[in-house]
Amino acid sequence: MNDILQYKNYYGSVHFSASDEVFHGKVLGINDLVNFEGTSVKELKAAFEEAVEDYIDTCNEIGKSPDKTYKGTFNVRVPSALHKEASTFAAINNITLNEFVKMAMNFALHRKEQLIKISTKGDDELIGIA
């Protein structure tokens, strides 16, 4: 089981441990590790909201921003054929590969409700348009 909770613009992962019979997760998009857990969905949601509130309060007390800082750079590993196709597309359209990747990410994120998961093979997730 893998799902996402949202509270005050913070997101939390959700997992279930069958051996412990407990739901657990962590707050995403922050620089620290903040976990939460519960034995029911209602308890899990309450624990998540409490974890977010406690984290925000703690950050305010010590004068730290609660949000993770993103540099705007990251490495992406893709199959060589996809790399070649993207580079060729960028060159034909007189843009850099970086500009093409930004455009593709922006396009996908503004149409995320149309994206559907087809299958997962290793680390490469294939998606399609609904």
Side-chain angles (χ1 to χ4, degrees), residues 43-114:
E43 193 176 298
L44 179 74
K45 286 180 178 180
F48 169 61
E49 292 177 8
E50 183 179 342
V52 168
E53 292 291 345
D54 287 347
Y55 183 68
I56 291 170
D57 290 345
T58 300
C59 287
N60 287 337
E61 286 175 16
I62 63 174
K64 173 182 176 178
S65 173
D67 297 331
K68 183 174 183 174
T69 303
Y70 292 92
K71 297 186 300 181
T73 62
F74 59 95
N75 292 326
V76 179
R77 290 169 185 81
V78 297
S80 59
L82 181 60
H83 188 175
K84 179 182 178 181
E85 187 176 0
S87 293
T88 302
F89 178 89
I92 289 170
N93 289 282
N94 200 29
I95 60 175
T96 66
L97 182 58
N98 190 66
E99 289 170 319
F100 173 68
V101 171
K102 287 191 297 187
M103 288 170 42
M105 290 174 64
N106 190 42
F107 180 86
L109 290 171
H110 285 92
R111 289 162 183 81
K112 55 188 163 221
E113 66 281 344
Q114 296 173 327

